[in-house]
Coordinates of all heavy atoms in Angstrom, one line a residue:
K16 N 220.5 -52.0 -31.4 CA 219.1 -52.2 -31.4 C 218.3 -51.0 -31.0 O 217.3 -50.6 -31.6 CB 218.8 -53.4 -30.4 CG 217.3 -53.7 -30.4 CD 217.0 -54.8 -29.4 CE 215.5 -55.0 -29.3 NZ 215.2 -56.1 -28.4
D17 N 218.8 -50.2 -30.0 CA 218.1 -49.0 -29.6 C 218.2 -48.0 -30.7 O 217.2 -47.2 -30.9 CB 218.7 -48.5 -28.3 CG 217.9 -47.4 -27.7 OD1 216.7 -47.5 -27.7 OD2 218.5 -46.4 -27.1
R18 N 219.3 -47.9 -31.3 CA 219.5 -46.9 -32.4 C 218.5 -47.2 -33.6 O 217.9 -46.3 -34.2 CB 220.9 -46.9 -32.9 CG 221.1 -45.8 -34.0 CD 222.5 -45.8 -34.4 NE 223.3 -45.1 -33.4 CZ 224.6 -45.1 -33.2 NH1 225.3 -45.9 -34.1 NH2 225.2 -44.5 -32.3
D19 N 218.4 -48.5 -33.9 CA 217.5 -48.9 -35.0 C 216.0 -48.6 -34.6 O 215.3 -48.2 -35.5 CB 217.6 -50.4 -35.3 CG 219.0 -50.8 -35.9 OD1 219.6 -49.8 -36.5 OD2 219.4 -51.9 -35.8
A20 N 215.7 -48.9 -33.4 CA 214.3 -48.6 -33.0 C 214.0 -47.1 -33.0 O 212.9 -46.7 -33.5 CB 214.1 -49.1 -31.5
R21 N 215.0 -46.3 -32.6 CA 214.8 -44.8 -32.7 C 214.7 -44.3 -34.1 O 213.8 -43.5 -34.5 CB 215.9 -44.1 -32.0 CG 215.6 -42.6 -31.9 CD 216.6 -41.8 -31.0 NE 216.3 -41.7 -29.6 CZ 215.2 -41.3 -29.0 NH1 214.2 -41.0 -29.8 NH2 215.1 -41.1 -27.8
T22 N 215.5 -44.9 -35.0 CA 215.4 -44.5 -36.4 C 214.1 -44.9 -37.0 O 213.5 -44.1 -37.8 CB 216.6 -45.2 -37.2 OG1 217.8 -44.9 -36.6 CG2 216.6 -44.8 -38.7
N23 N 213.6 -46.1 -36.7 CA 212.3 -46.6 -37.3 C 211.2 -45.7 -36.7 O 210.2 -45.4 -37.4 CB 212.1 -48.1 -36.9 CG 212.9 -49.0 -37.8 OD1 213.4 -48.5 -38.9 ND2 213.1 -50.2 -37.4
F24 N 211.3 -45.4 -35.4 CA 210.3 -44.5 -34.8 C 210.2 -43.2 -35.5 O 209.1 -42.7 -35.8 CB 210.7 -44.3 -33.3 CG 209.7 -43.5 -32.5 CD1 208.5 -44.0 -32.2 CD2 210.0 -42.2 -32.1 CE1 207.6 -43.3 -31.4 CE2 209.1 -41.5 -31.4 CZ 207.9 -42.0 -31.0
T25 N 211.3 -42.6 -35.8 CA 211.4 -41.3 -36.5 C 210.8 -41.4 -37.9 O 210.1 -40.6 -38.4 CB 212.8 -40.8 -36.5 OG1 213.4 -40.7 -35.2 CG2 212.9 -39.4 -37.1
K26 N 211.2 -42.5 -38.6 CA 210.7 -42.7 -40.0 C 209.2 -42.9 -39.9 O 208.5 -42.3 -40.8 CB 211.3 -44.0 -40.6 CG 212.7 -43.8 -41.0 CD 213.2 -45.1 -41.6 CE 214.7 -45.1 -42.0 NZ 215.1 -46.4 -42.5
A27 N 208.7 -43.6 -39.0 CA 207.2 -43.8 -38.9 C 206.5 -42.5 -38.6 O 205.5 -42.2 -39.3 CB 206.9 -44.8 -37.8
L28 N 207.0 -41.7 -37.7 CA 206.3 -40.4 -37.4 C 206.4 -39.5 -38.6 O 205.4 -38.8 -38.9 CB 207.0 -39.8 -36.2 CG 206.7 -40.5 -34.9 CD1 207.4 -39.7 -33.8 CD2 205.2 -40.6 -34.6
A29 N 207.5 -39.5 -39.3 CA 207.6 -38.6 -40.5 C 206.6 -39.0 -41.6 O 206.0 -38.2 -42.2 CB 209.0 -38.6 -41.0
R30 N 206.5 -40.3 -41.8 CA 205.6 -40.9 -42.8 C 204.1 -40.5 -42.4 O 203.3 -40.1 -43.3 CB 205.8 -42.4 -42.9 CG 204.8 -43.0 -43.9 CD 205.0 -44.4 -44.1 NE 204.0 -45.0 -44.8 CZ 203.7 -46.3 -44.8 NH1 204.4 -47.2 -44.1 NH2 202.7 -46.8 -45.5
F31 N 203.8 -40.7 -41.2 CA 202.4 -40.5 -40.7 C 202.0 -39.0 -40.8 O 200.9 -38.7 -41.2 CB 202.2 -41.0 -39.3 CG 202.4 -42.5 -39.1 CD1 202.7 -43.0 -37.9 CD2 202.2 -43.3 -40.2 CE1 202.9 -44.4 -37.7 CE2 202.4 -44.7 -40.0 CZ 202.7 -45.2 -38.8
V32 N 203.0 -38.1 -40.5 CA 202.7 -36.7 -40.6 C 202.5 -36.3 -42.1 O 201.7 -35.5 -42.4 CB 203.9 -35.9 -40.0 CG1 203.8 -34.4 -40.3 CG2 203.8 -36.0 -38.5
K33 N 203.3 -36.9 -42.9 CA 203.2 -36.6 -44.4 C 201.9 -37.2 -45.0 O 201.3 -36.5 -45.8 CB 204.4 -37.3 -45.1 CG 204.5 -36.9 -46.6 CD 205.8 -37.6 -47.1 CE 205.9 -37.3 -48.6 NZ 207.1 -38.0 -49.2
E34 N 201.4 -38.3 -44.5 CA 200.2 -38.9 -45.0 C 198.9 -38.2 -44.5 O 198.0 -38.0 -45.2 CB 200.1 -40.4 -44.5 CG 200.9 -41.4 -45.2 CD 200.8 -42.8 -44.6 OE1 200.0 -42.9 -43.6 OE2 201.5 -43.7 -45.0
D35 N 198.9 -37.8 -43.2 CA 197.7 -37.3 -42.6 C 198.0 -35.9 -42.0 O 198.7 -35.7 -41.1 CB 197.3 -38.3 -41.5 CG 196.0 -37.9 -40.9 OD1 195.4 -36.9 -41.2 OD2 195.6 -38.7 -40.0
P36 N 197.3 -34.9 -42.5 CA 197.5 -33.5 -42.0 C 196.9 -33.3 -40.6 O 197.3 -32.3 -39.9 CB 196.8 -32.6 -43.0 CG 195.8 -33.5 -43.7 CD 196.4 -34.9 -43.7
T37 N 196.0 -34.2 -40.1 CA 195.5 -34.0 -38.8 C 196.4 -34.7 -37.7 O 196.1 -34.5 -36.5 CB 194.1 -34.6 -38.7 OG1 194.2 -36.0 -38.9 CG2 193.1 -34.0 -39.7
F38 N 197.4 -35.4 -38.1 CA 198.3 -36.1 -37.2 C 199.5 -35.1 -36.9 O 200.2 -34.7 -37.8 CB 198.8 -37.4 -37.8 CG 199.7 -38.2 -36.9 CD1 199.1 -38.9 -35.9 CD2 201.0 -38.2 -37.1 CE1 199.9 -39.7 -35.0 CE2 201.8 -39.0 -36.2 CZ 201.3 -39.7 -35.2
R39 N 199.6 -34.8 -35.7 CA 200.7 -33.8 -35.3 C 201.6 -34.4 -34.3 O 201.2 -35.2 -33.4 CB 200.1 -32.5 -34.7 CG 199.3 -31.8 -35.8 CD 198.6 -30.5 -35.2 NE 197.9 -30.7 -34.0 CZ 196.6 -31.2 -33.9 NH1 196.0 -31.5 -35.0 NH2 196.0 -31.3 -32.8
V40 N 202.9 -34.1 -34.4 CA 203.9 -34.6 -33.5 C 204.7 -33.4 -32.9 O 205.0 -32.5 -33.6 CB 205.0 -35.5 -34.2 CG1 206.0 -36.0 -33.3 CG2 204.3 -36.7 -34.9
S41 N 204.9 -33.5 -31.6 CA 205.7 -32.4 -30.9 C 206.5 -33.1 -29.8 O 206.2 -34.2 -29.4 CB 204.8 -31.3 -30.3 OG 203.9 -31.9 -29.3
T42 N 207.6 -32.4 -29.4 CA 208.4 -32.9 -28.3 C 208.4 -31.9 -27.2 O 208.6 -30.7 -27.4 CB 209.9 -33.0 -28.8 OG1 209.9 -33.9 -30.0 CG2 210.8 -33.6 -27.8
N43 N 208.1 -32.4 -26.0 CA 208.0 -31.6 -24.8 C 209.5 -31.5 -24.3 O 210.1 -32.5 -23.9 CB 207.1 -32.2 -23.8 CG 206.9 -31.4 -22.6 OD1 207.7 -30.5 -22.3 ND2 205.8 -31.6 -21.9
E44 N 210.0 -30.3 -24.3 CA 211.4 -30.2 -23.9 C 211.7 -30.4 -22.4 O 212.7 -30.9 -22.0 CB 211.9 -28.7 -24.2 CG 211.9 -28.4 -25.7 CD 212.8 -29.3 -26.5 OE1 213.9 -29.7 -26.0 OE2 212.4 -29.6 -27.7
E45 N 210.7 -30.1 -21.6 CA 210.9 -30.3 -20.1 C 210.9 -31.8 -19.7 O 211.6 -32.2 -18.9 CB 209.8 -29.5 -19.4 CG 209.9 -28.1 -19.5 CD 208.8 -27.3 -18.9 OE1 207.8 -28.0 -18.4 OE2 208.9 -26.1 -18.8
T46 N 210.0 -32.6 -20.3 CA 209.8 -34.0 -19.9 C 210.5 -34.9 -20.9 O 210.6 -36.1 -20.7 CB 208.4 -34.4 -19.8 OG1 207.7 -34.2 -21.1 CG2 207.7 -33.6 -18.7
Q47 N 211.0 -34.4 -22.0 CA 211.7 -35.2 -23.1 C 210.8 -36.3 -23.6 O 211.2 -37.4 -24.0 CB 213.0 -35.8 -22.5 CG 214.0 -34.8 -22.1 CD 214.4 -33.9 -23.2 OE1 214.7 -34.3 -24.3 NE2 214.5 -32.6 -22.9
E48 N 209.5 -36.0 -23.8 CA 208.5 -36.9 -24.3 C 208.1 -36.5 -25.7 O 208.1 -35.3 -26.0 CB 207.2 -36.9 -23.5 CG 207.4 -37.6 -22.2 CD 206.0 -37.7 -21.4 OE1 205.2 -36.7 -21.6 OE2 205.8 -38.6 -20.7
T49 N 207.9 -37.4 -26.6 CA 207.3 -37.2 -27.9 C 205.8 -37.3 -27.8 O 205.3 -38.3 -27.4 CB 207.8 -38.2 -28.9 OG1 209.3 -38.1 -29.0 CG2 207.3 -37.9 -30.3
V50 N 205.1 -36.2 -28.1 CA 203.7 -36.2 -27.9 C 203.0 -36.2 -29.3 O 203.4 -35.3 -30.1 CB 203.2 -34.9 -27.1 CG1 201.7 -34.8 -26.9 CG2 203.9 -34.9 -25.8
I51 N 202.1 -37.1 -29.5 CA 201.3 -37.1 -30.8 C 199.9 -36.6 -30.5 O 199.3 -36.9 -29.5 CB 201.4 -38.5 -31.4 CG1 200.7 -39.5 -30.6 CG2 202.8 -38.9 -31.8 CD1 200.6 -40.9 -31.2
A52 N 199.3 -36.0 -31.5 CA 198.0 -35.5 -31.4 C 197.2 -35.8 -32.7 O 197.8 -35.8 -33.8 CB 198.0 -34.0 -31.2
G53 N 196.0 -36.1 -32.6 CA 195.2 -36.4 -33.8 C 193.7 -36.1 -33.5 O 193.3 -35.3 -32.7
M54 N 192.9 -36.8 -34.3 CA 191.4 -36.5 -34.3 C 190.7 -37.2 -33.1 O 189.5 -37.0 -32.9 CB 190.8 -37.0 -35.6 CG 191.3 -36.2 -36.8 SD 190.8 -34.5 -36.7 CE 189.0 -34.6 -37.0
G55 N 191.4 -38.1 -32.4 CA 190.7 -38.8 -31.3 C 191.6 -39.9 -30.8 O 192.6 -40.3 -31.4
E56 N 191.1 -40.6 -29.8 CA 191.9 -41.7 -29.2 C 192.0 -42.9 -30.2 O 193.0 -43.5 -30.3 CB 191.2 -42.1 -27.9 CG 192.0 -43.0 -27.1 CD 191.5 -43.3 -25.7 OE1 190.6 -42.5 -25.2 OE2 191.9 -44.3 -25.1
L57 N 190.9 -43.2 -30.9 CA 190.9 -44.3 -31.8 C 191.9 -44.0 -32.9 O 192.7 -44.9 -33.4 CB 189.6 -44.6 -32.4 CG 189.5 -45.7 -33.4 CD1 189.8 -47.0 -32.8 CD2 188.1 -45.8 -34.0
H58 N 191.9 -42.8 -33.4 CA 192.9 -42.4 -34.5 C 194.3 -42.6 -34.0 O 195.1 -43.1 -34.8 CB 192.6 -40.9 -34.7 CG 193.4 -40.3 -35.9 ND1 194.1 -39.1 -35.7 CD2 193.6 -40.7 -37.1 CE1 194.7 -38.8 -36.9 NE2 194.4 -39.8 -37.8
L59 N 194.6 -42.2 -32.8 CA 196.0 -42.4 -32.3 C 196.3 -43.8 -32.0 O 197.5 -44.3 -32.3 CB 196.2 -41.6 -31.0 CG 196.0 -40.1 -31.2 CD1 196.1 -39.4 -29.8 CD2 196.9 -39.5 -32.2
Q60 N 195.4 -44.6 -31.6 CA 195.6 -46.0 -31.4 C 195.9 -46.8 -32.7 O 196.8 -47.7 -32.7 CB 194.4 -46.7 -30.7 CG 194.2 -46.3 -29.2 CD 192.9 -46.9 -28.7 OE1 192.1 -47.4 -29.4 NE2 192.8 -46.8 -27.3
I61 N 195.3 -46.4 -33.7 CA 195.5 -47.0 -35.0 C 197.0 -46.7 -35.5 O 197.7 -47.6 -35.9 CB 194.6 -46.5 -36.1 CG1 193.2 -47.0 -35.8 CG2 195.0 -46.8 -37.5 CD1 192.1 -46.4 -36.6
Y62 N 197.5 -45.5 -35.3 CA 198.8 -45.1 -35.6 C 199.9 -45.9 -34.7 O 200.9 -46.3 -35.2 CB 199.1 -43.6 -35.6 CG 198.6 -42.9 -36.8 CD1 197.5 -42.1 -36.8 CD2 199.2 -43.2 -38.1 CE1 197.1 -41.4 -38.0 CE2 198.7 -42.6 -39.2 CZ 197.7 -41.7 -39.2 OH 197.2 -41.1 -40.3
V63 N 199.6 -46.0 -33.5 CA 200.5 -46.7 -32.6 C 200.5 -48.2 -33.0 O 201.6 -48.8 -33.0 CB 200.0 -46.6 -31.1 CG1 200.8 -47.6 -30.2 CG2 200.2 -45.2 -30.6
E64 N 199.4 -48.8 -33.4 CA 199.4 -50.2 -33.8 C 200.1 -50.3 -35.1 O 200.9 -51.3 -35.3 CB 197.9 -50.7 -34.0 CG 197.8 -52.1 -34.2 CD 198.5 -53.0 -33.2 OE1 198.4 -52.7 -32.0 OE2 199.1 -54.0 -33.6
R65 N 200.0 -49.3 -36.0 CA 200.8 -49.4 -37.3 C 202.3 -49.3 -37.0 O 203.0 -50.0 -37.7 CB 200.3 -48.2 -38.2 CG 199.1 -48.5 -38.9 CD 198.7 -47.4 -39.9 NE 199.7 -47.3 -41.0 CZ 199.8 -46.3 -41.8 NH1 198.9 -45.3 -41.7 NH2 200.7 -46.2 -42.7
M66 N 202.7 -48.5 -36.0 CA 204.1 -48.4 -35.7 C 204.6 -49.8 -35.2 O 205.7 -50.2 -35.6 CB 204.4 -47.4 -34.6 CG 204.6 -46.0 -35.2 SD 205.3 -44.9 -33.9 CE 203.8 -44.3 -33.2
R67 N 203.8 -50.4 -34.4 CA 204.2 -51.8 -33.9 C 204.3 -52.8 -35.0 O 205.2 -53.6 -35.1 CB 203.2 -52.2 -32.8 CG 203.4 -51.5 -31.5 CD 202.5 -52.1 -30.5 NE 202.6 -51.3 -29.2 CZ 201.6 -50.8 -28.5 NH1 200.4 -51.1 -28.9 NH2 201.8 -50.1 -27.4
R68 N 203.3 -52.8 -35.9 CA 203.2 -53.8 -37.0 C 204.1 -53.5 -38.1 O 204.9 -54.4 -38.5 CB 201.7 -53.8 -37.5 CG 201.4 -55.0 -38.4 CD 200.0 -55.0 -38.8 NE 199.6 -53.8 -39.5 CZ 198.7 -52.8 -39.1 NH1 198.1 -53.0 -38.0 NH2 198.4 -51.8 -39.8
E69 N 204.2 -52.3 -38.7 CA 204.9 -52.0 -39.9 C 206.4 -51.7 -39.6 O 207.3 -52.0 -40.4 CB 204.3 -50.9 -40.6 CG 202.9 -51.1 -41.2 CD 202.3 -49.9 -41.8 OE1 203.0 -49.0 -42.1 OE2 201.0 -49.9 -41.9
Y70 N 206.7 -51.1 -38.5 CA 208.0 -50.6 -38.2 C 208.7 -51.4 -37.0 O 209.8 -51.1 -36.7 CB 208.0 -49.1 -37.9 CG 207.7 -48.3 -39.1 CD1 206.4 -47.9 -39.4 CD2 208.7 -47.9 -40.0 CE1 206.1 -47.2 -40.5 CE2 208.5 -47.1 -41.1 CZ 207.2 -46.8 -41.4 OH 206.9 -46.0 -42.5
K71 N 208.0 -52.3 -36.4 CA 208.5 -53.1 -35.3 C 209.0 -52.2 -34.2 O 210.1 -52.5 -33.6 CB 209.6 -54.0 -35.8 CG 209.3 -54.9 -37.0 CD 208.5 -56.1 -36.7 CE 208.4 -57.0 -37.8 NZ 207.4 -56.6 -38.8
V72 N 208.3 -51.2 -33.9 CA 208.7 -50.2 -32.8 C 207.7 -50.3 -31.7 O 206.5 -50.2 -31.9 CB 208.7 -48.8 -33.3 CG1 209.0 -47.8 -32.2 CG2 209.7 -48.7 -34.4
S73 N 208.1 -50.6 -30.5 CA 207.2 -50.6 -29.3 C 207.4 -49.2 -28.7 O 208.4 -48.7 -28.6 CB 207.6 -51.7 -28.3 OG 208.9 -51.5 -27.8
C74 N 206.2 -48.7 -28.3 CA 206.3 -47.4 -27.6 C 205.3 -47.4 -26.4 O 204.4 -48.1 -26.3 CB 205.9 -46.3 -28.6 SG 204.4 -46.6 -29.6
T75 N 205.6 -46.5 -25.5 CA 204.9 -46.4 -24.3 C 203.8 -45.3 -24.5 O 204.0 -44.2 -25.0 CB 205.7 -45.9 -23.1 OG1 206.8 -46.8 -23.0 CG2 205.0 -45.9 -21.8
V76 N 202.5 -45.7 -24.3 CA 201.4 -44.9 -24.6 C 200.7 -44.5 -23.2 O 200.6 -45.3 -22.4 CB 200.4 -45.6 -25.5 CG1 199.2 -44.7 -25.8 CG2 201.0 -46.1 -26.7
G77 N 200.4 -43.2 -23.1 CA 199.7 -42.8 -21.9 C 199.5 -41.3 -22.0 O 199.8 -40.6 -23.0
Q78 N 199.0 -40.7 -20.9 CA 198.8 -39.3 -20.8 C 200.2 -38.6 -20.7 O 201.1 -39.1 -20.1 CB 198.0 -39.0 -19.5 CG 196.6 -39.5 -19.5 CD 195.7 -38.9 -20.5 OE1 195.8 -37.7 -20.8 NE2 194.8 -39.6 -21.1
P79 N 200.3 -37.4 -21.3 CA 201.5 -36.7 -21.2 C 201.9 -36.3 -19.8 O 201.0 -36.0 -19.0 CB 201.3 -35.4 -22.1 CG 200.0 -35.5 -22.6 CD 199.3 -36.7 -22.1
A80 N 203.1 -36.3 -19.4 CA 203.6 -36.0 -18.1 C 203.5 -34.4 -17.9 O 203.7 -33.7 -18.9 CB 205.0 -36.5 -17.8
V81 N 203.3 -34.0 -16.7 CA 203.3 -32.6 -16.4 C 204.5 -32.3 -15.6 O 204.8 -32.9 -14.5 CB 202.0 -32.2 -15.6 CG1 202.0 -30.8 -15.2 CG2 200.8 -32.6 -16.4
A82 N 205.3 -31.3 -16.0 CA 206.4 -30.8 -15.2 C 206.0 -29.8 -14.2 O 205.4 -28.8 -14.5 CB 207.5 -30.2 -16.1
F83 N 206.2 -30.2 -12.9 CA 205.8 -29.2 -11.8 C 206.9 -28.2 -11.7 O 208.1 -28.5 -11.6 CB 205.6 -30.0 -10.5 CG 204.4 -30.9 -10.6 CD1 204.6 -32.3 -10.8 CD2 203.1 -30.4 -10.5 CE1 203.5 -33.1 -10.8 CE2 202.0 -31.2 -10.5 CZ 202.2 -32.6 -10.7
R84 N 206.5 -27.0 -11.6 CA 207.5 -25.9 -11.5 C 207.6 -25.3 -10.1 O 208.6 -24.7 -9.9 CB 207.1 -24.8 -12.5 CG 207.1 -25.3 -13.9 CD 207.0 -24.2 -14.9 NE 207.1 -24.7 -16.2 CZ 206.4 -24.3 -17.3 NH1 205.6 -23.3 -17.2 NH2 206.6 -24.9 -18.4
E85 N 206.7 -25.4 -9.3 CA 206.7 -24.8 -8.0 C 206.3 -25.9 -6.9 O 205.6 -26.8 -7.2 CB 205.8 -23.6 -7.8 CG 205.6 -22.7 -8.9 CD 204.7 -21.5 -8.5 OE1 203.9 -21.6 -7.6 OE2 204.9 -20.5 -9.2
S86 N 206.8 -25.6 -5.7 CA 206.3 -26.4 -4.6 C 206.2 -25.6 -3.4 O 207.0 -24.6 -3.3 CB 207.2 -27.7 -4.4 OG 208.5 -27.2 -4.1
L87 N 205.4 -26.0 -2.5 CA 205.2 -25.2 -1.2 C 206.4 -25.5 -0.3 O 206.8 -26.7 -0.2 CB 203.9 -25.6 -0.5 CG 202.7 -25.3 -1.3 CD1 201.4 -25.8 -0.6 CD2 202.5 -23.8 -1.6
L88 N 207.0 -24.5 0.2 CA 208.2 -24.7 1.1 C 207.8 -24.6 2.6 O 208.4 -25.3 3.4 CB 209.3 -23.7 0.7 CG 209.8 -23.8 -0.7 CD1 210.8 -22.8 -1.0 CD2 210.4 -25.2 -0.9
S89 N 207.0 -23.7 2.9 CA 206.7 -23.5 4.3 C 205.2 -23.0 4.5 O 204.6 -22.5 3.6 CB 207.6 -22.5 5.0 OG 207.5 -21.3 4.4
K90 N 204.7 -23.1 5.7 CA 203.4 -22.5 6.0 C 203.5 -21.0 6.1 O 204.5 -20.4 6.6 CB 202.9 -23.0 7.4 CG 202.3 -24.4 7.3 CD 201.7 -24.7 8.7 CE 200.8 -25.9 8.5 NZ 200.0 -26.2 9.7
T91 N 202.4 -20.3 5.7 CA 202.4 -18.9 5.8 C 201.0 -18.5 6.5 O 200.0 -19.0 6.2 CB 202.4 -18.2 4.4 OG1 203.6 -18.6 3.8 CG2 202.4 -16.7 4.5
E92 N 201.1 -17.7 7.5 CA 199.9 -17.3 8.2 C 199.3 -16.1 7.5 O 200.0 -15.2 6.9 CB 200.2 -16.9 9.6 CG 200.7 -18.1 10.4 CD 200.4 -18.1 11.9 OE1 199.6 -17.2 12.3 OE2 201.0 -18.9 12.6
F93 N 198.0 -16.0 7.5 CA 197.3 -14.9 6.9 C 196.1 -14.5 7.8 O 195.6 -15.3 8.6 CB 196.8 -15.2 5.5 CG 195.8 -16.3 5.4 CD1 194.5 -16.0 5.4 CD2 196.2 -17.6 5.4 CE1 193.5 -17.0 5.3 CE2 195.3 -18.6 5.3 CZ 193.9 -18.3 5.3
D94 N 195.7 -13.2 7.8 CA 194.6 -12.7 8.6 C 193.6 -12.1 7.6 O 193.9 -11.0 7.1 CB 195.1 -11.7 9.6 CG 194.0 -11.3 10.6 OD1 193.0 -12.0 10.7 OD2 194.2 -10.2 11.2
Y95 N 192.5 -12.7 7.5 CA 191.4 -12.2 6.5 C 190.1 -12.6 7.1 O 189.8 -13.7 7.5 CB 191.6 -12.8 5.1 CG 190.6 -12.4 4.2 CD1 190.6 -11.1 3.6 CD2 189.5 -13.2 3.8 CE1 189.7 -10.7 2.7 CE2 188.6 -12.8 2.9 CZ 188.6 -11.5 2.4 OH 187.7 -11.1 1.5
L96 N 189.2 -11.6 7.1 CA 187.8 -11.8 7.5 C 186.9 -11.4 6.4 O 187.0 -10.3 5.9 CB 187.5 -11.0 8.8 CG 186.1 -11.1 9.3 CD1 185.8 -12.5 9.7 CD2 185.9 -10.1 10.5
H97 N 186.1 -12.4 5.9 CA 185.2 -12.1 4.8 C 184.0 -11.5 5.4 O 183.3 -12.1 6.2 CB 184.9 -13.4 4.1 CG 184.0 -13.2 2.9 ND1 184.3 -12.6 1.8 CD2 182.7 -13.6 2.8 CE1 183.3 -12.6 0.9 NE2 182.3 -13.2 1.5
K98 N 183.6 -10.3 4.9 CA 182.4 -9.6 5.4 C 181.4 -9.6 4.3 O 181.6 -9.1 3.2 CB 182.8 -8.1 5.7 CG 183.7 -8.0 6.9 CD 183.9 -6.5 7.3 CE 184.9 -6.4 8.4 NZ 185.1 -5.1 8.8
K99 N 180.3 -10.4 4.6 CA 179.3 -10.5 3.6 C 178.4 -9.3 3.6 O 178.0 -8.8 4.6 CB 178.4 -11.8 4.0 CG 177.4 -12.2 2.9 CD 176.8 -13.5 3.3 CE 175.9 -13.9 2.2 NZ 175.3 -15.2 2.5
Q100 N 178.2 -8.8 2.4 CA 177.4 -7.5 2.3 C 175.9 -7.9 2.3 O 175.5 -8.8 1.6 CB 177.8 -6.8 1.0 CG 177.1 -5.5 0.8 CD 177.6 -4.8 -0.5 OE1 178.4 -5.3 -1.2 NE2 177.0 -3.6 -0.7
S101 N 175.2 -7.1 3.1 CA 173.7 -7.3 3.1 C 173.1 -6.0 2.9 O 173.6 -5.0 3.3 CB 173.3 -8.0 4.4 OG 173.6 -7.1 5.4
G102 N 171.9 -6.0 2.2 CA 171.2 -4.8 2.0 C 171.7 -4.1 0.7 O 172.4 -4.5 -0.1
G103 N 171.2 -2.9 0.5 CA 171.5 -2.1 -0.7 C 172.7 -1.2 -0.5 O 173.5 -1.4 0.4
S104 N 172.8 -0.2 -1.3 CA 174.0 0.7 -1.3 C 173.9 1.8 -0.3 O 173.5 2.2 0.5 CB 174.2 1.3 -2.6 OG 173.1 1.9 -3.1

């Protein structure tokens, strides 16, 4: 069942890209998500609904995930005094 769903998902995306030059598909390698882009939110919702209706594929829709690359490990002390300049040169 999962293999059939993935095959239908791929077929649907290929067909939509072929039909509409403004519809773009990319895969984020870090998060392993398939990201679709188009002319707007309504445009994308129509394609998601067509996938559900015509290809019987359910998909999770939402904002793309962001892969965090760094994190703070420890506190660091710093010594800085901001001197506001007043007057001319």
Side-chain angles (χ1 to χ4, degrees):
K16 180 180 177 182
D17 190 39
R18 181 177 286 162
D19 292 338
R21 186 170 273 306
T22 303
N23 285 343
F24 182 73
T25 307
K26 283 181 186 178
L28 290 179
R30 177 178 169 199
F31 297 156
V32 167
K33 188 175 176 183
E34 285 177 359
D35 186 359
T37 62
F38 184 77
R39 295 180 307 279
V40 178
S41 62
T42 304
N43 188 336
E44 297 298 326
E45 293 176 351
T46 60
Q47 300 300 316
E48 288 182 327
T49 302
V50 180
I51 59 173
M54 294 296 289
E56 193 171 340
L57 180 64
H58 185 229
L59 299 176
Q60 287 175 351
I61 290 169
Y62 279 114
V63 169
E64 188 57 38
R65 280 184 64 191
M66 272 195 271
R67 288 185 181 133
R68 189 178 62 244
E69 296 174 18
Y70 290 92
K71 310 280 190 282
V72 175
S73 63
C74 48
T75 306
V76 180
Q78 296 291 327
V81 176
F83 293 102
R84 297 191 177 147
E85 321 184 338
S86 61
L87 300 175
L88 299 177
S89 63
K90 280 188 167 187
T91 303
E92 297 208 13
F93 64 96
D94 185 21
Y95 178 76
L96 178 62
H97 180 70
K98 294 185 180 179
K99 190 172 184 178
Q100 182 177 1
S101 62
S104 51

